[in-house]
Amino acid sequence: MGLLILALGLTLNTKAGLGVSPIISVSYSVSQIFSLNFGDTTLVLYCIFVLVELVLHLTHGRAGEGAPGSRRLTLLLDVLQIPLSLIFTRFLNLFVALLPDFSGSADSLSQLPARLAVLLLAIVCTGVGAAMSLSMRLVPNPGDGIVQAIADCIGKSVGFTKNCFDLVNITITITLSLCLAGQLVGVGIGTVVAVIGVGRVIALFHHLTGKRIGGLSGLTAARA
């Protein structure tokens, strides 16, 4: 359910036409510039993320003091992100096909309130979906997995690493869109709102439902 809601949020983000989430901005811009399938492009990006995670964990494993069994489990979870990404990106394609495009004309102010409403809904769905997925502590979404892997290797906090990773993705997207399309593609006010808003939604969702979800899933002792 978390993956389904997350896919809905990311798709709504693209439909608002105000700029997409940094984590998918590269795949979205490439899909728009070259008229490729958005879900398939995102799958390729996620597979690249997984390969980077494997390299980082193998390198980190040789240098670290973790038990061999623990390292094998980490590598297994990395590999399992590929079939998860396949399912997740099929959800993306489904929502892209079903949901209408709310962006309309780029210079039409009359559609701006509706687009902002769609963007707000997208931020909420993205945050809730990500929070639900992370709460289960199973196979992470590659976008979260690569951030965690980088954070472990450089010894920085996940929050700091996420901000830096978002900045790198935005920079790549801007460079690709300006060089290949001559204009910004996939980057806008919605990108900035996503950077700020998604983290706040995740924190609020964990605060309101974290103990309840943990109890229902058996991850923590249920409390009355």
Side-chain angles (χ1 to χ4, degrees):
M1 183 62 71
L3 289 177
L4 191 67
I5 296 174
L6 177 59
L8 175 62
L10 292 177
T11 306
L12 284 172
N13 207 236
T14 67
K15 295 292 187 175
L18 296 172
V20 302
S21 177
I23 200 69
I24 60 165
S25 63
V26 175
S27 61
Y28 178 77
S29 63
V30 170
S31 69
Q32 292 297 302
I33 293 171
F34 295 103
S35 299
L36 300 174
N37 181 277
F38 174 50
D40 293 345
T41 309
T42 303
L43 177 60
V44 172
L45 177 68
Y46 279 180
C47 288
I48 294 173
F49 285 175
V50 172
L51 290 176
V52 173
E53 288 178 54
L54 287 169
V55 171
L56 290 177
H57 283 142
L58 285 170
T59 305
H60 186 67
R62 293 191 190 102
E65 299 179 356
S70 176
R71 288 199 292 271
R72 284 196 295 268
L73 177 60
T74 298
L75 296 176
L76 175 62
L77 292 178
D78 288 344
V79 173
L80 288 177
Q81 290 177 45
I82 295 179
L84 179 141
S85 298
L86 180 61
I87 297 172
F88 179 76
T89 54
R90 297 319 93 184
F91 286 154
L92 286 180
N93 279 342
L94 176 64
F95 287 129
V96 167
L98 293 178
L99 296 175
D101 191 347
F102 300 94
S103 61
S105 176
D107 57 356
S108 176
L109 293 178
S110 62
Q111 295 193 24
L112 185 58
R115 294 165 67 184
L116 289 173
V118 172
L119 176 62
L120 178 61
L121 180 60
I123 299 302
V124 172
C125 289
T126 301
V128 170
M132 291 177 68
S133 301
L134 291 170
S135 294
M136 293 302 96
R137 301 177 189 174
L138 294 172
V139 182
N141 182 286
D144 298 317
I146 190 171
V147 170
Q148 184 67 64
I150 295 173
D152 290 341
C153 289
I154 66 176
K156 299 293 183 179
S157 69
V158 174
F160 173 81
T161 306
K162 179 69 166 64
N163 289 336
C164 294
F165 191 69
D166 284 346
L167 182 59
V168 169
N169 278 283
I170 293 172
T171 302
I172 294 174
T173 301
I174 291 174
T175 302
L176 287 175
S177 59
L178 290 179
C179 291
L180 299 177
Q183 61 181 357
L184 291 179
V185 179
V187 176
I189 184 63
T191 308
V192 178
V193 174
V195 171
I196 300 173
V198 172
R200 306 289 77 76
V201 173
I202 292 175
L204 179 61
F205 186 83
H206 278 312
H207 176 72
L208 295 177
T209 67
K211 292 181 180 179
R212 181 62 175 167
I213 289 179
L216 291 172
S217 64
L219 292 173
T220 59
R223 297 181 181 180

